[in-house]
């Protein structure tokens, strides 16, 4: 579905980001991905993607740093020639109840989860507008739709990402560029490994289990493909019915 396309994925060394890289590669896309710090995980992801017969490059980049993103994006365009698909997946948590939440906890999460997405969209926007085609996919969360105790910062960042999605979709629709958001519920990743076996959490999900990263990736691949060319500004839950 994605043969001949170049995809840029952030937060891709592990979890959902890695699964998206691998799924996109299976669909024929060349992959550039950003990661924050885990060199060994990034190398494993790169090797896994290259084993699928496509080109792959990894870039260490703090997505909250505008100038770092600007330079890294230039490197991607130099190496690959263009970008057709952007997936804003980079995200962190700093969970605390509001009374215990520190200002830095709030600022850090907003900087990575929300400003980081802006920094990437700012770079890819003119490229896709000139091409009059392309896909932007933002990985939000059901927390951005419903809120979640102890996650004021995270929920706010993911809700902001949804508003950003709709705004960019409206701005770029006439150029043939789509922008959509995926809102996962609980997913089996390093971020949730400590709570993955929690019976009360699983019981709250109508499907009685956490999602697998590959299930989020499959939806991302569809939204990145020509099959989704008339879908834009949408927030698609992939949550087993959690926020139904």
């Amino acid at each position: 579905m994605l043969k001949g396309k170049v995809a840029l994925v952030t937060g891709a060394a592990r979890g959902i980001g890695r699964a998206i890289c691998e799924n996109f590669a299976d669909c024929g896309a060349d992959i550039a991905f950003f990661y924050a710090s885990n060199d060994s995980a990034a190398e494993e992801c790169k090797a896994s993607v290259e084993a699928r017969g496509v080109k792959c490059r990894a870039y260490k980049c703090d997505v909250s740093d505008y100038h770092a993103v600007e330079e890294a994006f230039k490197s991607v365009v130099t190496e690959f020639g263009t970008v057709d698909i952007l997936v804003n997946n980079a995200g962190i948590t700093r969970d605390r109840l509001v009374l215990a939440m520190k200002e830095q906890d709030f600022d850090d999460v907003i900087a990575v989860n929300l400003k980081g997405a802006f920094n990437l969209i700012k770079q890819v926007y003119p490229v896709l507008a000139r091409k009059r085609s392309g896909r932007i996919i933002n990985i939000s969360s059901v927390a951005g739709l419903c809120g979640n105790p102890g996650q004021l910062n995270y929920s706010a960042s993911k809700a902001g990402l949804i508003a950003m999605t709709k705004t960019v979709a409206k701005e770029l629709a006439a150029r043939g560029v789509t922008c959509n958001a995926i809102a996962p519920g609980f997913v089996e990743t390093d971020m949730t490994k400590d709570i993955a076996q929690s019976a009360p959490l699983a019981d709250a999900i109508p499907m009685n289990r956490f999602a697998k990263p590959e299930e989020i990736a499959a939806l991302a691949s569809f939204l990145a493909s020509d099959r989704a060319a008339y879908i834009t500004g949408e927030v698609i839950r992939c949550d087993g019915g959690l926020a139904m």
Side-chain angles (χ1 to χ4, degrees):
M1 294 193 296
L2 304 178
K3 188 172 180 59
K5 303 294 186 182
V6 176
L8 172 57
V9 184
T10 69
R14 299 176 295 174
I16 293 171
R18 175 169 172 170
I20 290 173
C21 288
E22 292 171 339
N23 197 304
F24 279 14
D26 286 337
C27 293
D30 290 326
I31 306 295
F33 71 86
F34 288 3
Y35 70 101
S37 59
N38 194 326
D39 295 330
S40 61
E43 283 300 317
E44 290 175 8
C45 179
K46 181 174 181 291
S48 177
V49 170
E50 288 178 331
R52 290 162 160 80
V54 301
K55 181 176 178 179
C56 182
R57 297 290 183 271
Y59 303 82
K60 183 183 283 190
C61 179
D62 176 2
V63 298
S64 70
D65 183 331
Y66 182 88
H67 295 294
V69 168
E70 187 176 38
E71 291 306 309
F73 188 82
K74 288 177 182 176
S75 297
V76 172
V77 173
T78 298
E79 179 75 23
F80 289 85
T82 190
V83 172
D84 301 289
I85 303 159
L86 168 66
V87 181
N88 281 310
N89 172 70
I92 62 171
T93 58
R94 297 285 186 272
D95 295 352
R96 297 174 187 266
L97 294 176
V98 174
L99 285 177
M101 186 172 290
K102 300 175 182 177
E103 180 182 11
Q104 197 63 50
D105 296 329
F106 185 87
D107 290 347
D108 288 348
V109 170
I110 295 298
V112 173
N113 299 9
L114 189 58
K115 183 171 181 282
F118 163 77
N119 290 343
L120 268 298
I121 290 171
K122 178 75 171 177
Q123 299 305 314
V124 81
Y125 189 114
V127 175
L128 301 185
R130 284 194 299 269
K131 290 158 66 78
R132 302 188 72 88
S133 68
R135 304 283 182 264
I136 298 172
I137 301 168
N138 297 318
I139 307 301
S140 183
S141 169
V142 294
L145 295 169
C146 305
N148 201 31
Q151 289 194 314
L152 178 143
N153 47 6
Y154 185 79
S155 298
S157 71
K158 294 302 187 177
L161 198 54
I162 288 170
M164 188 183 293
T165 296
K166 293 178 179 294
T167 299
V168 173
K170 288 182 177 181
E171 289 190 12
L172 285 174
R175 291 278 177 172
V177 179
T178 68
C179 184
N180 292 288
I182 297 174
F186 290 108
V187 185
E188 293 178 359
T189 66
D190 288 346
M191 190 180 289
T192 62
K193 64 183 178 182
D194 292 337
I195 60 171
Q197 303 305 316
S198 170
L201 283 177
D203 289 345
I205 303 169
M207 294 191 73
N208 296 121
R209 66 174 180 88
F210 283 22
K212 299 182 184 303
E214 293 77 14
E215 292 172 312
I216 311 302
L219 175 55
S221 291
F222 168 70
L223 291 174
S225 75
D226 290 341
R227 299 177 187 179
Y230 203 60
I231 300 172
T232 196
E234 288 298 325
V235 183
I236 303 176
R237 293 184 298 105
C238 190
D239 65 351
L242 178 63
M244 188 160 41

